[in-house]
Amino acid sequence: MNEQLSTPVQPNSGFDLVRLSKSKKEVDLSPNTIRAYFQRGLPYYKMGKAIFFSRIQLHQFITTQGAVKL
């Protein structure tokens, strides 16, 4: 029998933080571009020397603020 899920599975549900040093691989943006977005208001999180950002917040930032070519 085919059973359907009552709640659709969200692809971005769960842990969505990306380490700044892995940004090129994970979101295809250079760390320098992400740093520029930090200066324009994109939130970031620090743990020791590591800096992280949220994929969801990055998507919202780009769609609301508009990406600027650096």
Side-chain angles (χ1 to χ4, degrees):
M1 297 182 99
N2 276 343
E3 292 183 37
Q4 292 186 352
L5 296 174
S6 60
T7 308
V9 177
Q10 297 294 325
N12 290 329
S13 63
F15 191 77
D16 82 327
L17 293 182
V18 176
R19 191 171 179 153
L20 180 62
S21 61
K22 304 289 184 190
S23 66
K24 183 64 178 170
K25 178 182 173 190
E26 297 292 326
V27 296
D28 199 28
L29 291 171
S30 74
N32 287 340
T33 300
I34 301 295
R35 284 187 193 98
Y37 290 168
F38 292 160
Q39 291 178 348
R40 291 179 47 211
L42 177 67
Y44 63 92
Y45 310 91
K46 288 183 81 170
M47 179 173 271
K49 292 183 179 181
I51 299 173
F52 299 87
F53 62 93
S54 164
R55 280 187 181 101
I56 294 172
Q57 290 175 333
L58 175 64
H59 180 267
Q60 291 172 341
F61 178 82
I62 290 172
T63 56
T64 59
Q65 300 288 320
V68 175
K69 197 168 191 175
L70 301 175

